[in-house]
Amino acid sequence: GAVVSQHPSWVICKSGTSVKIECRSLDFQATTMFWYRQFPKQSLMLMATSNEGSKATYEQGVEKDKFLINHASLTLSTLTVTSAHPEDSSFYICSAPSASTQYFGPGTRLTVL
Amino acid sequence: AQSVTQLDSQVPVFEEAPVELRCNYSSSVSVYLFWYVQYPNQGLQLLLKYLSGSTLVKGINGFEAEFNKSQTSFHLRKPSVHISDTAEYFCAVSDHSSGAGSYQLTFGKGTKLSVIP
């Protein structure tokens, strides 16, 4: 099946700093990628749809200026958490579609101190 | 709009026993159906999917699911579970009328399968 990678797998940062998370489709191209947030013992919450060459589409309630998304190429989307605060601590997962199926990255655990 | 209901939030089962994880969905259009598994601190791994054709689909790790259109269900089954099957299982649907390249998923809340030795 198709493979999606994420980097880093975990990150710890100080409050007020920015963190960038990368999502790559390794063996296929994706004009669209999706970013999710998952709280402990809960399902995935879609944050935004990343579109190659155009602006991302954000779900209701997600702050565009806080969660910056860039889809610079057909294999790379990045999520930048700006001015991170402890409440942004979470598990962030990306996905990319291939042949009618979403393939997920391994996730990034963000801890903001 | 679509919705997915996973009827059981937790399912404990003894090792080597059979298991069924239930999933029902609602949608006004045709959908694709998926089951994903998530191990602790990991992303989601595709178990199996129904896109078209035979309503009984087989996936990895001995799992299978049956699409029942009249009951709008897509229950996941395994005849004999192992300790390693302990994980969170998510049912999901996508609207395949959205156009190529999208396939945004709607997830159920997940079912925690605990296999007891």
Side-chain angles (χ1 to χ4, degrees), chain B residues 5 9 11 20 26 28-29 31 36 38-40 62-63 66 74-75 78-79 83-84 92 96 101 106-107 110 113 117:
Chain B
T5 302
S9 59
V11 173
E20 177 180 83
S26 67
S28 57
V29 298
V31 295
Y36 290 89
Q38 185 179 34
Y39 299 100
F63 284 93
E66 185 157 19
F74 191 55
H75 300 332
K78 185 170 183 177
I83 295 291
S84 58
H96 72 75
T106 300
F107 285 94
L113 174 63

Side-chain angles (χ1 to χ4, degrees), chain A residues 7-9 17 19 26 29-31 37 51 54 62 65 74-75 82-83 85 94 96-98 106:
Chain A
H7 179 80
S9 55
T17 61
V19 174
L26 297 186
Q29 294 181 332
T31 56
R37 184 173 179 175
N51 303 299
S54 64
V62 177
D65 295 333
L74 290 172
T75 59
T82 62
S83 187
H85 291 285
C94 70
S98 176

Side-chain angles (χ1 to χ4, degrees), chain A residues 34 36 43 46 100-102 104, chain B residues 1-6 23-36 44 46 48-51 67-68 72-75 90-98 102-109:
Chain A
F34 299 90
Y36 299 84
S43 188
L46 179 65
S100 307
T101 301
Q102 291 285 347
F104 288 82
Chain B
Q2 303 145 66
S3 66
V4 178
T5 302
Q6 291 184 243
C23 173
N24 288 86
Y25 70 93
S26 67
S27 177
S28 57
V29 298
S30 297
V31 295
Y32 292 149
L33 296 151
F34 306 84
W35 275 99
Y36 290 89
L44 274 65
L46 179 68
L48 48 77
K49 61 184 176 182
Y50 173 79
L51 303 182
F67 169 51
N68 188 317
T72 59
S73 68
F74 191 55
H75 300 332
F90 291 97
C91 181
V93 302
S94 70
D95 168 11
H96 72 75
S97 67
S98 301
S102 177
Y103 306 106
Q104 182 174 321
L105 291 173
T106 300
F107 285 94
K109 292 188 175 183

Side-chain angles (χ1 to χ4, degrees), chain A residues 69-80:
Chain A
I69 290 173
N70 185 279
H71 197 143
S73 75
L74 290 172
T75 59
L76 173 64
S77 175
T78 59
L79 169 67
T80 301

